[in-house]
Amino acid sequence: MGLPPGQRRIEGFPRFGTHLSKPAPAVPADPVIEVRGAVAEEFDLPLASIWALPRKELPADFHCVAGWTATGLLWEGVPFETFYRALVEPALSPGTSITHVMCGGLDGFEAAVAIEDILADDVLIAQNLNGQPLDSDHGAPVRLVSPSQYGYMNVKHLSRINVLTTAPPNTDGPLLRSHPRARVWQEERHGLLPGRVVRPFYRPLINPIRRLSARGSSTPNP
Ligand SMILES: Nc1nc2c(c(=O)[nH]1)N[C@H]1C(S)=C(S)[C@@H](COP(=O)(O)O)O[C@H]1N2
Ligand SMILES: [Mo]
């Protein structure tokens, strides 16, 4: 299959993100996912409890909104839907209807994912990449993987989910306004402008962000 509209293949899989050159956050000795928001009582799920759920492998490409695509990745983890149905849904406050899941990383990065997108069958809480535990560049100890959505929905170092009953306000300025769905095949690159219009403005950001992000990498990066 070809690449989604406006994407170009990149060699390898670079570290990339709004963290820029900041090193990855330390992984706690006993990592948990904090469950917050519209639940009867907030709680923390040790990652160990999540690995008791059925897992699957997910071959996928990875698409950053700036325009690069890493191809041929193999993720392994627990489908988000499995995790949600088993451990989160039973804990919801009675009568609530969830519209969004705000996912947060140990570095403070956040993304609000629409419930219909995060429950899709290609969304994982990923623990392994290409047969190895996730390294700190790519989101240790676990990350959200949603290959049908741009990278910014794929929260690294996942440590918190906040279940919401309304869409959270978009706090981006008008220029870099992210799209609330971020579906790659629809080219939902931008919240206000058609995706193809913003391509030439995003593309020049790739190399500088990539260089900065590599500087904070734990592994030697070209
Ligand atoms: N915690 C966290 N997750 C994040 C980011 C970040 O800065 N922090 N950046 C996002 C962006 S914009 C992209 S393109 C991907 C890049 O993932 P990679 O570093 O594994 O290539 O991570 C996403 N998830
Ligand atoms: Mo990105």
Side-chain angles (χ1 to χ4, degrees):
M1 181 153 49
L3 298 187
Q7 294 298 114
R8 291 184 199 162
R9 198 179 165 275
I10 202 170
E11 204 52 53
F13 186 29
R15 178 179 195 242
F16 200 93
T18 55
H19 47 59
L20 303 174
S21 63
K22 250 185 265 141
V27 175
D30 294 301
V32 298
I33 294 185
E34 302 171 347
V35 182
R36 300 290 182 267
V39 280
E41 219 176 320
E42 299 183 329
F43 58 103
D44 295 351
L45 283 170
L47 285 188
S49 69
I50 295 170
W51 305 133
L53 297 171
R55 314 153 61 86
K56 81 167 185 191
E57 288 192 334
L58 177 70
D61 296 345
F62 189 95
H63 315 285
C64 169
V65 73
W68 59 264
T69 291
T71 55
L73 306 178
L74 180 64
W75 301 101
E76 190 193 350
V78 170
F80 188 89
E81 186 187 8
T82 304
F83 158 82
Y84 184 84
R85 302 273 184 229
L87 302 174
V88 180
E89 208 166 46
L92 296 179
S93 312
T96 49
S97 168
I98 301 305
T99 63
H100 293 79
V101 180
M102 179 75 87
C103 296
L106 292 166
D107 59 353
F109 183 91
E110 287 190 316
V113 190
I115 192 76
E116 60 269 43
D117 292 331
I118 205 166
L119 295 180
D121 64 8
D122 63 349
V123 181
L124 286 190
I125 298 176
Q127 185 185 35
N128 295 328
L129 168 60
N130 298 331
Q132 301 291 326
L134 277 189
D135 63 16
S136 61
D137 287 356
H138 295 300
V142 294
R143 85 179 297 170
L144 191 73
V145 171
S146 177
S148 304
Q149 296 179 282
Y150 289 117
Y152 64 85
M153 292 300 194
N154 293 241
V155 175
K156 300 194 279 189
H157 321 293
L158 183 68
S159 62
R160 170 192 282 247
I161 68 164
N162 198 339
V163 286
L164 304 175
T165 55
T166 52
N170 193 319
T171 53
D172 304 334
L175 279 181
L176 289 175
R177 174 75 55 96
S178 57
H179 193 288
R181 301 294 299 278
R183 291 171 296 177
V184 300
W185 291 98
Q186 283 85 345
E187 203 173 357
E188 291 170 338
R189 244 179 248 284
H190 195 276
L192 303 170
L193 299 166
R196 56 174 310 119
V197 171
V198 298
R199 284 180 203 171
F201 299 96
Y202 280 11
R203 188 158 292 286
L205 302 174
I206 295 177
N207 281 325
I209 295 176
R210 190 181 173 185
R211 265 196 299 275
L212 285 169
S213 299
R215 218 179 273 170
S217 169
S218 58
T219 55
N221 232 331

